[in-house]
Amino acid sequence: MTTLRFGMTVLTGVTMLASLGGVAKGQSSVAELLARKPVQQGVKVTTPTAADAATFKAVPISYPGQPTVSGTAVKDASGKVVRQVIVIAGQKKQQIVTYYLDGVEAYREIDQNGTGTPDIFRWLGPNGGKMGRDLNGDGSIDAWDILSAEEASQELFEAIASNNTARFQALLVNEKDIASLGLPAAEAVKIKTRVGAATNRFHAAVKKYSLTPQAKWAQLGTLVPFTTPADAVGGQFDIVRQKLATILVEKAKDKFDMIPTGEMIQVGRVWKLIDGPGDEAGATSPEALDPRLRPLLDELAKIQPPAPGVSSTEVLKYHVDRYTILEKVVAATQGAEQEPWIQQLIDALAAAAEAAPPGNDHYKRLVAWTDQIEKADPKGANAAYARFRQISAEYASKLVGIKQIDVNKVQEWWREQLEGYLKSYGTAADAPDAMLRLAIAYEFAKDGEAKAIEWSDKLVSTFPQHAFAAKARGIVARLKSEGQTFVLAGPTLGTNQSFDIASLKGKPVLVAYWASWAGRVKEDAKQLNDLAKEYGPKGLAIVTVCLDDNAQVAAQAQAAYKMPGIVLHQPGGVDGNPLAVQYGVMGPHAFLIGKDGKVVNKAAQLGVVGDEIDKLLK
């Protein structure tokens, strides 16, 4: 059966929706595709005028070697994609309709069940990154697969504003979530009890805050996530919570209110609610705000994020405008009320520092704030948060326009900074990130593999349940892979056929990881095709692994660059694709495997690997 992968969901078959009837082969007109409107409200997509639409063209899309997959893209007069539909003709008949904003992919609707109605929705690009499912066909999201804390707070705001109990309940932790967290019975009962009272709290919040249609979500204020190690509660995984989060709401023009969300907990890639909204002990209520703070929050809410594609000057201005006000907000608050604003300030300062030329005043300001925060609370979470972003911003600055002769000096400085950070903040929320970066930095240092393995092992032992632990295990596996059996199994791109490299035993195999976003993809593709032409007839097998998250983008790149051999793909990109994670692969990389299935070269260079292949073929 032909399959196409989308995000975390496998699509098996496809046809057009009723509104696009008569397009059985996936080809449709400009008018048909532009008539399609997003099911979900508030999605930002390009909406052309009739005059503009008259200049648009419908361009057919084909997928070589995949006769059941076809589609149509609508492009404007400048060549930017406006709409796109992908059709898979199969047993179940499904489709993907994609919307763009200023040429950037912004939103998708998927009919996975072949009912003629989309049941999976994915917000992308300027719309965020959430992904949800409609389980009963009413057009509303009943379950979330991806949802950040900010997006969860936006959903909560919309539920309160519209008094939509079902929308609120879709945000609550359920039995399946509790089971997936591996919580002990006592802890699970506590959470279930709180969830049971959440709907009543929601109804009370609807009445208390009385949001009108004019009300707008402005932003979410949070603390550092509160992490409880698995062994502390006798569970299987660490528990990550947001104990104090507050939504800033613009109730009317220049009139603001603050709504505590209630406690949130992270379940996979979704932030979910344990409680209903409303004031908690220690939470900031509107009445408790210092009178000096409200006008500052009014100003902050008016600063809108820059649109996609704007100049770097406008992006920098956005961050500067934010940190200028946030500095005043921090000065006007104290204690628990101040905590979420400090992190927002540091984020804005770091973003401004990285957006400006090296040695800029924004970076100097970031350093001054970091020093001040560390002096006030040397071991605090905000001190760790600020210091990590300060050294990361300085590292990024040092790499701008760097000469090759200075690269080693900068990398040595970076390793020293990371080790110093971990000495001071070895258990901080950013410590796993610092350890992973340190392992990577040592891997590319002269004689640094032992230290790369050491830091990877330390990440795994210190933070065994952290998402980066799997990547660290992969780095160790890759660095120790020579002489070991190479393990690789997964679905082929487009056809989704199961593949296991063990089936190629008896042949030398070149395994190359690639991505459409890599600057060297064109060169790598040419070298792979040259190797396939020269050594394929002699017995060399080539397997490539695409690191793109998006299956559609991967298929287009495969066709464009004519990638040879067997091409594997799974969603998740560099950080989440199991095929990349198992060997800690961070980007383009190649392994050379002998006839016995064992790794001969764990870091093969495509341009000079010919001599090694010759030896293996003898």
Side-chain angles (χ1 to χ4, degrees), residues 243-473:
K243 285 184 168 289
L244 181 60
T246 306
I247 304 171
L248 178 64
V249 176
E250 185 177 10
K251 299 189 74 171
K253 183 174 177 57
D254 297 331
K255 293 183 178 180
F256 293 84
D257 206 340
M258 300 186 76
I259 304 176
T261 64
E263 189 169 321
M264 290 192 278
I265 190 169
Q266 190 173 29
V267 183
R269 299 179 70 182
V270 183
W271 279 94
K272 290 205 164 186
L273 296 173
I274 294 175
D275 299 308
D279 292 334
E280 297 284 355
T284 302
S285 65
E287 296 78 9
L289 290 177
D290 189 301
R292 296 175 298 168
L293 187 58
R294 187 170 294 279
L296 294 173
L297 298 184
D298 293 350
E299 288 185 61
L300 190 63
K302 293 175 184 177
I303 302 173
Q304 296 300 310
V310 301
S311 68
S312 58
T313 301
E314 291 179 82
V315 173
L316 176 58
K317 182 179 183 302
Y318 166 73
H319 296 306
V320 173
D321 288 348
R322 277 184 56 78
Y323 82 59
T324 300
I325 296 175
L326 284 165
E327 286 181 325
K328 298 175 182 177
V329 172
V330 169
T333 54
Q334 58 184 353
E337 184 183 62
Q338 186 184 67
E339 291 290 314
W341 304 114
I342 289 178
Q343 291 193 15
Q344 290 191 52
L345 169 60
I346 293 300
D347 285 338
L349 284 165
E354 292 190 30
N360 58 77
D361 289 338
H362 314 298
Y363 172 73
K364 295 174 182 176
R365 209 177 191 103
L366 172 62
V367 172
W369 269 103
T370 300
D371 290 345
Q372 181 179 331
I373 293 167
E374 280 191 325
K375 185 177 180 179
D377 187 8
K379 297 298 181 181
N382 279 337
Y385 189 91
R387 184 58 69 189
F388 186 67
R389 279 146 190 81
Q390 178 259 309
I391 63 174
S392 297
E394 185 172 355
Y395 176 57
S397 177
K398 286 179 179 291
L399 292 177
V400 175
I402 190 173
K403 296 179 181 179
Q404 188 61 39
I405 193 173
D406 296 324
V407 170
N408 290 337
K409 291 182 180 179
V410 172
Q411 292 301 325
E412 182 179 356
W413 174 89
W414 179 229
R415 294 191 295 271
E416 290 174 353
Q417 293 299 310
L418 289 170
E419 289 184 326
Y421 174 83
L422 288 167
K423 185 176 181 179
S424 298
Y425 303 112
T427 59
D430 289 310
D433 193 355
M435 289 179 183
L436 184 63
R437 295 192 195 198
L438 190 52
I440 295 169
Y442 267 117
E443 180 180 345
F444 296 102
K446 184 178 179 181
D447 302 322
E449 285 192 3
K451 292 290 287 184
I453 291 172
E454 177 186 330
W455 278 107
S456 295
D457 283 339
K458 187 167 185 177
L459 196 168
V460 172
S461 62
T462 309
F463 302 97
Q465 304 302 332
H466 196 278
F468 289 155
K471 181 71 77 174
R473 292 186 189 96

Side-chain angles (χ1 to χ4, degrees), residues 5-9 38 40 43-45 96-99 105-110 118-125 127-133 141 144-147 151 269 549-551 571-572:
R5 288 186 174 268
F6 166 78
M8 298 165 63
T9 309
Q40 302 302 320
V43 179
K44 298 175 183 177
V45 300
I96 307 171
V97 177
T98 305
Y99 298 77
E105 189 174 1
Y107 173 69
R108 289 184 180 186
E109 295 181 345
I110 305 97
D119 45 71
I120 298 176
F121 303 88
R122 182 80 188 268
W123 287 253
L124 299 162
N127 287 307
K130 60 187 178 183
M131 175 174 160
R133 288 175 284 129
I141 303 298
W144 291 100
D145 295 314
I146 304 173
L147 194 67
E151 288 165 324
R269 299 179 70 182
D549 180 32
N550 187 305

